Amino acid sequence: MRKADEVGAAYVLAQDPDADRFSAAQRTSAGWHQFSGDQLGSLLASRILNKYKENGKSIDRLAMVASTVSSKMIESMAKAEGFNFVECLTGFKYIGNVASRLSEDGYDVPFGYEEAIGFMVENGIRDKDGVSATVAFVELVTQLETRGSSAFQYLEELYERYGYFETNNSYFICRDPPTIDAIFARLRQYSSVYPGSSNNSFRSPAGATYPATIASLRVHSVRDLTSEYGFDSTRPPHFQPDLPLSGGHMITFRAGSLEHDNVEVVLTIRTSGTEPKIKYYLEGKGSDRTFIARILQKVVAEIRNDWMEATKNNLQEP
């Protein structure tokens, strides 16, 4: 960015050493804005959608894929515009395979992504590729420049159209596996932790009872993708998830409130397969940005103090 300042560049584009991931930043009136993986995913998805519309293709045969811990903005796009959106587990072995299966079913799947700046653009490569993502972003920016706009301005247009989305992702460090297991066991027996919540908790066929509220928001769905606990409250009567289960802990909560700006929150808490971490992926959607930021702070505080009991369990934070 310092070099960009020296030469007066409006954008900085970057790839990792093996060129399979892509990132970008833009100079704005407030300084440099580095786009998150989710923001880039939304911009590139919108580019695909616009190309479809311009070419007169049938939107109902268009499909896009994203990892389950990525932003739900493309999900909102799909509901508003009429194309198919599918989520899957993190990793391009899942994203690519889901795209291939959708193609076999007659869908055109020109885009998939994960929030960790991995993008699958167009149909030629069923894997993350930084080069094609860079070309797609440059094409989008060039088109925007012709109408006096920019990527940052266009992102604001997308927020106006589909709702404002803000993420807050982080993790807790725990080097004691039994403590991690105990934390998740507690989340699955929440009515015994808080007896007064038993009538409102989500109960799985396996007997687990999950939290029914977080930060004053009502939880309206729970999905547990952990082996032996597979549960999805939105899929009665057997409540079996449509995503694969794994040996690591992974629970997703969707919550919201009609009383406050129709705010929606999606929270996934999972263990890492390679590091001593409990990760959380948190996103809020609404129209009042100040309220969304405040709600996300409250959710993080409740995760830390009540759900994780970070002090009691000696958890560290970055």
Side-chain angles (χ1 to χ4, degrees):
M1 291 180 187
R2 285 194 297 269
K3 183 64 175 179
D5 285 331
E6 292 175 10
V7 300
Y11 293 88
V12 174
L13 310 181
Q15 300 167 8
D16 63 346
D18 59 353
D20 65 353
R21 298 188 187 271
F22 163 71
S23 187
Q26 179 187 334
R27 185 199 305 275
T28 72
S29 58
W32 284 97
H33 174 82
Q34 184 168 348
F35 296 100
S36 69
D38 284 322
Q39 290 175 335
L40 289 171
S42 299
L43 288 168
L44 294 175
S46 181
R47 166 189 169 272
I48 292 288
L49 177 62
N50 289 339
K51 287 179 67 175
Y52 248 69
K53 291 180 177 180
E54 290 168 3
N55 293 332
K57 293 184 178 181
S58 177
I59 298 296
D60 62 358
R61 303 316 298 168
L62 170 65
M64 301 189 200
V65 183
S67 68
T68 188
V69 297
S70 296
S71 172
K72 306 308 177 200
M73 189 166 181
I74 298 181
E75 181 181 78
S76 289
M77 284 186 192
K79 290 178 180 177
E81 302 289 349
F83 65 87
N84 191 21
F85 169 77
V86 179
E87 65 176 13
C88 62
L89 296 183
T90 299
F92 275 83
K93 67 178 180 180
Y94 296 108
I95 294 172
N97 285 337
V98 168
S100 295
R101 286 197 296 270
L102 286 167
S103 295
E104 292 171 359
D105 291 338
Y107 288 97
D108 187 13
V109 194
F111 185 68
Y113 93 102
E114 63 182 11
E115 49 80 35
I117 59 174
F119 308 97
M120 179 185 73
V121 182
E122 304 301 347
N123 295 313
I125 302 174
R126 292 304 188 202
D127 199 356
K128 58 184 180 293
D129 177 54
V131 176
S132 58
T134 301
V135 172
F137 185 80
V138 170
E139 181 184 275
L140 173 64
V141 168
T142 301
Q143 293 171 345
L144 292 171
E145 290 289 336
T146 62
R147 61 183 179 93
S149 186
S150 69
F152 185 77
Q153 290 173 300
Y154 186 54
L155 182 64
E156 292 295 319
E157 291 179 28
L158 296 181
Y159 286 149
E160 288 294 322
R161 193 177 309 163
Y162 303 113
Y164 175 69
F165 291 77
E166 182 176 329
T167 58
N168 188 336
N169 303 335
S170 191
Y171 57 86
F172 298 93
I173 299 172
C174 181
R175 305 184 187 280
D176 182 47
T179 297
I180 293 176
D181 289 339
I183 288 171
F184 279 91
R186 183 172 176 273
L187 283 178
R188 295 188 181 98
Q189 294 298 326
Y190 219 66
S191 65
S192 63
V193 177
Y194 295 105
S197 67
S198 58
N199 292 331
N200 300 318
S201 298
F202 288 87
R203 181 177 295 275
S204 76
T209 52
Y210 302 86
T213 62
I214 183 167
S216 76
L217 301 177
R218 175 69 59 186
V219 174
H220 53 74
S221 71
V222 177
R223 183 179 62 195
D224 192 337
L225 296 180
T226 311
S227 297
E228 301 181 12
Y229 297 100
F231 173 64
D232 187 337
S233 65
T234 68
R235 293 173 60 83
H238 302 296
F239 301 102
Q240 289 299 308
D242 59 352
L243 295 181
L245 306 183
S246 67
H249 297 285
M250 184 174 183
I251 310 175
T252 297
F253 302 86
R254 290 196 180 216
S257 172
L258 296 176
E259 300 175 0
H260 301 289
D261 185 39
N262 290 327
V263 63
E264 299 176 22
V265 166
V266 181
L267 167 65
T268 295
I269 302 176
R270 71 176 182 91
T271 50
S272 169
T274 58
E275 302 171 298
K277 294 178 179 179
I278 301 173
K279 298 183 176 181
Y280 63 85
Y281 303 82
L282 173 63
E283 181 176 55
K285 174 192 175 185
S287 59
D288 186 333
R289 301 188 182 198
T290 301
F291 182 73
I292 290 295
R294 190 162 62 246
I295 280 291
L296 294 185
Q297 290 174 355
K298 289 182 178 179
V299 171
V300 170
E302 187 160 334
I303 294 170
R304 177 189 301 113
N305 299 326
D306 298 336
W307 290 21
M308 298 290 109
E309 296 184 303
T311 301
K312 173 184 174 182
N313 290 313
N314 297 313
L315 305 184
Q316 297 174 297
E317 296 183 69

